[in-house]
């Protein structure tokens, strides 16, 4: 426990400048909050797109809507502590993101969630700047190279960063945001993935994003999360780590998959994978003085009706992760959900999870 308090102090000291006692910023306060969860053995729960839509509904008239509906709240009586949002589409100047969420709604929901006492985190699935395809277009391994200085898409890419930074800036300087760009970078399903660019190119991509947002735009309200897909050996995890200066949180995305086996087997496999990766992140977090988290997780469609208390909880219990986040409940794809919803047969187990002493929801 003392170790974590020391880590928090060191992390904040690293952010401060000179000898003057720094003023506590919104980012500092969020760092403290997240360290205090980890220190007290608590884990905040997050849900992607929570206030935008759920399994059978979506916000229609967002300017008038009070944004009170949430599948998580319907089931547990509480909002998730974290709400995840995705910026995909902002780079083109689109009015809605890749899942049809108006950016105006995203801004309003982020502010509403923070006013309620919650925390927001942004991921980003930008289009492929070289081919014009989507984030999953891996037809070229020249894309990262093309956006770096000297590359033929560099100027256009800087415009993409500008649009993303403009949006984040429009939410306000006092709203701390966990920003998680270039995620799952050790798999090869995004154009910035492991086989699609060199280690150096990836690091430069991450650093260029950080430098532009932080130095050129002064967006110091962001906590930067590095979140490779897991499980993966710690050496591999660190092989594309951009550096301590550019990262505040070490995360990992690990999903449960049933595949051809039983849900029981999937549960055991998932627990082993998460425990393996989180053990590595605890050591890395100590070494690099960083927060750690399970940045994305879930079991699509939750066919295991005891998944929350039977698999997720035992997988993360005892690890000082500040938060975990389950993915979205798509309103237009009946099988694509990662949190329970009102009427779902496995809802009671998610409610039981929400009532555990070590799991933090937004009351
Ligand atoms: C994926 C799926 C997609 C979605 C994307 C970005 O995991 O949920 O349907 O478009 O995330 O949110």
């Amino acid at each position: 426990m003392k170790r974590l308090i020391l880590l928090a102090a060191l992390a904040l000291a690293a952010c401060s400048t000179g000898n003057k006692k720094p003023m506590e910023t919104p980012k500092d306060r969020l760092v403290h909050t997240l360290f205090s969860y980890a220190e007290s053995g608590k884990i905040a729960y997050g849900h992607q797109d929570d206030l935008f839509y759920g399994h059978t509904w979506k916000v229609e008239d967002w300017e008038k809507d009070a944004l009170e509906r949430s599948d998580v709240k319907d089931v547990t009586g509480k909002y998730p502590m974290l709400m995840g949002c995705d910026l995909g589409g902002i780079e083109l100047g689109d009015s809605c993101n890749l899942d049809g969420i108006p950016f105006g709604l995203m801004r309003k929901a982020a502010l509403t969630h923070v006013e309620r006492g919650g925390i927001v985190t942004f991921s980003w699935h930008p289009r492929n700047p070289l081919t014009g395809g989507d984030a999953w277009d891996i037809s070229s391994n020249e894309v990262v190279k093309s956006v770096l200085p000297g590359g033929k898409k560099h100027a256009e890419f800087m415009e993409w960063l500008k649009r993303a930074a403009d949006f984040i800036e429009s939410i306000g300087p006092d709203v701390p945001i966990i920003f998680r760009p270039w995620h799952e970078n050790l798999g090869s399903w995004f154009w910035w993935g492991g086989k699609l660019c060199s280690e150096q190119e990836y690091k430069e991509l991450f650093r260029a994003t950080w430098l532009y947002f932080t130095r050129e735009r002064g967006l110091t309200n962001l906590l930067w999360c590095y979140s490779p897909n897991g499980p993966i050996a710690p050496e591999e995890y660190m092989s594309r780590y951009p550096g301590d200066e550019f990262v505040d949180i070490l995360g990992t995305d690990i999903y449960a998959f049933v595949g051809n086996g039983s849900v029981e087997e999937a549960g055991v496999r998932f627990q082993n994978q998460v425990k393996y990766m989180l053990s590595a992140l605890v050591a890395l977090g100590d070494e690099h003085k960083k927060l750690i988290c399970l940045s994305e997780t879930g079991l699509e469609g939750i066919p295991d009706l005891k998944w929350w208390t039977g698999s997720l909880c035992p997988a993360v219990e005892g690890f000082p992760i500040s938060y975990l986040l389950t993915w979205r409940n798509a309103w237009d794809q009946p099988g694509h959900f990662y949190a329970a919803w009102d009427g779902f047969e496995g809802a009671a187990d998610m409610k039981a999870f929400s009532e555990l002493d070590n799991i933090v929801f937004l009351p």
Side-chain angles (χ1 to χ4, degrees), residues 48-49 86 98-99 125 136 255 327-328 333 336 338:
Q48 186 73 7
D49 286 0
D86 197 276
L98 74 172
D99 298 315
H125 290 82
W136 293 264
Y255 283 85
W327 204 240
R328 67 198 195 100
Q333 299 173 54
H336 195 49
Y338 295 85

Side-chain angles (χ1 to χ4, degrees), residues 69 73 254 344:
R69 182 105 196 247
K73 186 160 192 268
I254 304 179
F344 174 58

Side-chain angles (χ1 to χ4, degrees), residues 283-305:
L284 292 170
D286 270 0
E287 190 186 333
H288 294 267
K289 304 178 183 53
K290 302 295 175 192
L291 289 154
I292 62 172
C293 72
L294 183 54
S295 33
E296 276 183 41
T297 190
L299 171 63
E300 189 180 30
I302 325 179
D304 177 353
L305 301 183

Side-chain angles (χ1 to χ4, degrees), residues 2-17 22 28 31-32 35 244 247-248 285-291:
K2 278 209 178 100
R3 177 188 69 90
L4 285 161
I5 296 171
L6 179 69
L7 286 179
L10 288 169
L12 286 179
C15 304
S16 67
T17 47
D28 295 339
V31 169
H32 267 309
F35 267 114
D244 285 346
V247 173
D248 299 292
D286 270 0
E287 190 186 333
H288 294 267
K289 304 178 183 53
K290 302 295 175 192
L291 289 154

Side-chain angles (χ1 to χ4, degrees), residues 323-355:
Y323 77 89
L324 64 84
L325 176 140
T326 58
W327 204 240
R328 67 198 195 100
N329 285 13
W331 63 274
D332 53 351
Q333 299 173 54
H336 195 49
F337 62 88
Y338 295 85
W341 36 273
D342 191 23
F344 174 58
E345 54 182 337
D349 191 54
M350 185 178 179
K351 181 156 172 52
F353 171 81
S354 74
E355 288 164 355

